[in-house]
mmCIF file of all heavy atoms in Angstrom:
data_model
loop_
_atom_site.group_PDB
_atom_site.id
_atom_site.type_symbol
_atom_site.label_atom_id
_atom_site.label_comp_id
_atom_site.label_asym_id
_atom_site.label_seq_id
_atom_site.Cartn_x
_atom_site.Cartn_y
_atom_site.Cartn_z
ATOM 1 N N GLN Z 256 -6.310 19.730 16.105
ATOM 2 C CA GLN Z 256 -5.363 18.636 15.886
ATOM 3 C C GLN Z 256 -4.104 19.151 15.193
ATOM 4 O O GLN Z 256 -4.174 19.963 14.271
ATOM 5 C CB GLN Z 256 -6.032 17.575 15.012
ATOM 6 C CG GLN Z 256 -5.225 16.295 14.897
ATOM 7 C CD GLN Z 256 -5.967 15.223 14.094
ATOM 8 O OE1 GLN Z 256 -6.738 15.539 13.194
ATOM 9 N NE2 GLN Z 256 -5.717 13.973 14.421
ATOM 10 N N CYS Z 257 -2.959 18.666 15.647
ATOM 11 C CA CYS Z 257 -1.683 19.025 15.014
ATOM 12 C C CYS Z 257 -1.587 18.236 13.702
ATOM 13 O O CYS Z 257 -1.754 17.016 13.696
ATOM 14 C CB CYS Z 257 -0.543 18.654 15.959
ATOM 15 S SG CYS Z 257 1.071 18.733 15.173
ATOM 16 N N SER Z 258 -1.322 18.934 12.607
ATOM 17 C CA SER Z 258 -1.298 18.227 11.322
ATOM 18 C C SER Z 258 0.034 17.510 11.090
ATOM 19 O O SER Z 258 0.221 16.877 10.058
ATOM 20 C CB SER Z 258 -1.596 19.193 10.178
ATOM 21 O OG SER Z 258 -0.770 20.324 10.276
ATOM 22 N N ALA Z 259 0.954 17.599 12.074
ATOM 23 C CA ALA Z 259 2.223 16.876 11.942
ATOM 24 C C ALA Z 259 2.223 15.604 12.789
ATOM 25 O O ALA Z 259 2.592 14.535 12.303
ATOM 26 C CB ALA Z 259 3.383 17.778 12.330
ATOM 27 N N CYS Z 260 1.789 15.695 14.057
ATOM 28 C CA CYS Z 260 1.863 14.492 14.913
ATOM 29 C C CYS Z 260 0.479 13.943 15.263
ATOM 30 O O CYS Z 260 0.375 12.945 15.972
ATOM 31 C CB CYS Z 260 2.662 14.781 16.177
ATOM 32 S SG CYS Z 260 1.808 15.805 17.377
ATOM 33 N N TRP Z 261 -0.570 14.569 14.778
ATOM 34 C CA TRP Z 261 -1.961 14.125 14.925
ATOM 35 C C TRP Z 261 -2.517 14.161 16.343
ATOM 36 O O TRP Z 261 -3.586 13.642 16.608
ATOM 37 C CB TRP Z 261 -2.173 12.726 14.303
ATOM 38 C CG TRP Z 261 -1.645 12.618 12.918
ATOM 39 C CD1 TRP Z 261 -0.602 11.841 12.509
ATOM 40 C CD2 TRP Z 261 -2.092 13.325 11.749
ATOM 41 N NE1 TRP Z 261 -0.369 12.014 11.163
ATOM 42 C CE2 TRP Z 261 -1.269 12.936 10.675
ATOM 43 C CE3 TRP Z 261 -3.095 14.260 11.517
ATOM 44 C CZ2 TRP Z 261 -1.424 13.439 9.391
ATOM 45 C CZ3 TRP Z 261 -3.243 14.760 10.233
ATOM 46 C CH2 TRP Z 261 -2.420 14.333 9.200
ATOM 47 N N ARG Z 262 -1.775 14.779 17.287
ATOM 48 C CA ARG Z 262 -2.354 14.931 18.632
ATOM 49 C C ARG Z 262 -3.306 16.129 18.613
ATOM 50 O O ARG Z 262 -3.094 17.081 17.873
ATOM 51 C CB ARG Z 262 -1.258 15.201 19.660
ATOM 52 C CG ARG Z 262 -0.350 14.016 19.930
ATOM 53 C CD ARG Z 262 0.669 14.449 20.982
ATOM 54 N NE ARG Z 262 1.562 13.365 21.354
ATOM 55 C CZ ARG Z 262 2.737 13.147 20.780
ATOM 56 N NH1 ARG Z 262 3.162 13.926 19.806
ATOM 57 N NH2 ARG Z 262 3.504 12.149 21.178
ATOM 58 N N PHE Z 263 -4.314 16.087 19.496
ATOM 59 C CA PHE Z 263 -5.212 17.248 19.597
ATOM 60 C C PHE Z 263 -4.593 18.207 20.618
ATOM 61 O O PHE Z 263 -5.107 18.394 21.705
ATOM 62 C CB PHE Z 263 -6.614 16.798 20.003
ATOM 63 C CG PHE Z 263 -7.341 16.116 18.873
ATOM 64 C CD1 PHE Z 263 -7.198 14.741 18.668
ATOM 65 C CD2 PHE Z 263 -8.123 16.846 17.994
ATOM 66 C CE1 PHE Z 263 -7.833 14.117 17.611
ATOM 67 C CE2 PHE Z 263 -8.764 16.227 16.928
ATOM 68 C CZ PHE Z 263 -8.623 14.865 16.729
ATOM 69 N N SER Z 264 -3.464 18.744 20.237
ATOM 70 C CA SER Z 264 -2.625 19.419 21.217
ATOM 71 C C SER Z 264 -2.354 20.882 20.905
ATOM 72 O O SER Z 264 -1.683 21.560 21.679
ATOM 73 C CB SER Z 264 -1.281 18.683 21.244
ATOM 74 O OG SER Z 264 -0.784 18.601 19.901
ATOM 75 N N MET Z 265 -2.856 21.383 19.784
ATOM 76 C CA MET Z 265 -2.456 22.724 19.353
ATOM 77 C C MET Z 265 -2.888 23.814 20.329
ATOM 78 O O MET Z 265 -4.026 23.834 20.804
ATOM 79 C CB MET Z 265 -3.029 23.016 17.973
ATOM 80 C CG MET Z 265 -2.354 22.249 16.852
ATOM 81 S SD MET Z 265 -0.584 22.478 16.883
ATOM 82 C CE MET Z 265 -0.220 22.880 15.206
ATOM 83 N N GLN Z 273 0.602 26.250 17.929
ATOM 84 C CA GLN Z 273 1.892 25.625 18.206
ATOM 85 C C GLN Z 273 1.655 24.302 18.924
ATOM 86 O O GLN Z 273 0.817 24.215 19.818
ATOM 87 C CB GLN Z 273 2.738 26.544 19.095
ATOM 88 C CG GLN Z 273 2.892 27.916 18.469
ATOM 89 C CD GLN Z 273 4.031 28.715 19.093
ATOM 90 O OE1 GLN Z 273 4.958 28.157 19.659
ATOM 91 N NE2 GLN Z 273 3.942 30.024 18.986
ATOM 92 N N CYS Z 274 2.414 23.302 18.507
ATOM 93 C CA CYS Z 274 2.273 21.987 19.142
ATOM 94 C C CYS Z 274 3.380 21.823 20.181
ATOM 95 O O CYS Z 274 4.563 21.864 19.842
ATOM 96 C CB CYS Z 274 2.361 20.878 18.093
ATOM 97 S SG CYS Z 274 2.287 19.236 18.831
ATOM 98 N N PRO Z 275 3.010 21.648 21.457
ATOM 99 C CA PRO Z 275 4.032 21.508 22.501
ATOM 100 C C PRO Z 275 4.803 20.186 22.407
ATOM 101 O O PRO Z 275 5.852 20.033 23.014
ATOM 102 C CB PRO Z 275 3.240 21.588 23.801
ATOM 103 C CG PRO Z 275 1.827 21.327 23.434
ATOM 104 C CD PRO Z 275 1.649 21.628 21.987
ATOM 105 N N TYR Z 276 4.267 19.231 21.620
ATOM 106 C CA TYR Z 276 4.937 17.920 21.525
ATOM 107 C C TYR Z 276 5.971 17.898 20.398
ATOM 108 O O TYR Z 276 7.127 17.575 20.617
ATOM 109 C CB TYR Z 276 3.904 16.806 21.300
ATOM 110 C CG TYR Z 276 2.996 16.639 22.475
ATOM 111 C CD1 TYR Z 276 1.774 17.314 22.535
ATOM 112 C CD2 TYR Z 276 3.355 15.841 23.557
ATOM 113 C CE1 TYR Z 276 0.942 17.190 23.625
ATOM 114 C CE2 TYR Z 276 2.532 15.703 24.660
ATOM 115 C CZ TYR Z 276 1.327 16.389 24.687
ATOM 116 O OH TYR Z 276 0.504 16.267 25.765
ATOM 117 N N CYS Z 277 5.516 18.243 19.166
ATOM 118 C CA CYS Z 277 6.444 18.124 18.034
ATOM 119 C C CYS Z 277 6.932 19.495 17.544
ATOM 120 O O CYS Z 277 7.673 19.573 16.582
ATOM 121 C CB CYS Z 277 5.800 17.334 16.899
ATOM 122 S SG CYS Z 277 4.547 18.256 16.014
ATOM 123 N N HIS Z 278 6.478 20.559 18.244
ATOM 124 C CA HIS Z 278 6.894 21.939 17.950
ATOM 125 C C HIS Z 278 6.520 22.399 16.548
ATOM 126 O O HIS Z 278 7.119 23.330 16.033
ATOM 127 C CB HIS Z 278 8.404 22.126 18.211
ATOM 128 C CG HIS Z 278 8.767 21.684 19.587
ATOM 129 N ND1 HIS Z 278 8.350 22.355 20.707
ATOM 130 C CD2 HIS Z 278 9.470 20.596 20.021
ATOM 131 C CE1 HIS Z 278 8.770 21.699 21.775
ATOM 132 N NE2 HIS Z 278 9.452 20.624 21.387
ATOM 133 N N SER Z 279 5.547 21.722 15.960
ATOM 134 C CA SER Z 279 5.074 22.158 14.649
ATOM 135 C C SER Z 279 4.230 23.437 14.825
ATOM 136 O O SER Z 279 3.629 23.654 15.876
ATOM 137 C CB SER Z 279 4.249 21.018 14.058
ATOM 138 O OG SER Z 279 3.412 21.471 13.062
ATOM 139 N N ARG Z 280 4.232 24.291 13.816
ATOM 140 C CA ARG Z 280 3.449 25.520 13.888
ATOM 141 C C ARG Z 280 2.541 25.635 12.676
ATOM 142 O O ARG Z 280 2.873 25.123 11.615
ATOM 143 C CB ARG Z 280 4.387 26.736 13.868
ATOM 144 C CG ARG Z 280 5.216 26.852 15.085
ATOM 145 C CD ARG Z 280 6.343 27.784 14.775
ATOM 146 N NE ARG Z 280 7.040 28.162 15.974
ATOM 147 C CZ ARG Z 280 7.703 29.295 16.096
ATOM 148 N NH1 ARG Z 280 7.745 30.151 15.087
ATOM 149 N NH2 ARG Z 280 8.337 29.568 17.205
ATOM 150 N N ASP Z 284 -4.699 25.427 11.294
ATOM 151 C CA ASP Z 284 -5.118 24.088 11.723
ATOM 152 C C ASP Z 284 -6.531 24.082 12.317
ATOM 153 O O ASP Z 284 -7.148 23.020 12.447
ATOM 154 C CB ASP Z 284 -4.107 23.485 12.713
ATOM 155 C CG ASP Z 284 -2.966 22.775 11.984
ATOM 156 O OD1 ASP Z 284 -2.986 22.759 10.729
ATOM 157 O OD2 ASP Z 284 -2.063 22.240 12.653
HETATM 158 ZN ZN1 ZN K 28 2.454 17.949 16.904
#
Side-chain angles (χ1 to χ4, degrees):
Q256 189 176 31
C257 168
S258 51
C260 73
W261 310 114
R262 290 181 178 93
F263 286 88
S264 53
M265 288 307 229
Q273 305 197 24
C274 177
Y276 294 93
C277 74
H278 307 292
S279 160
R280 292 163 168 206
D284 274 0

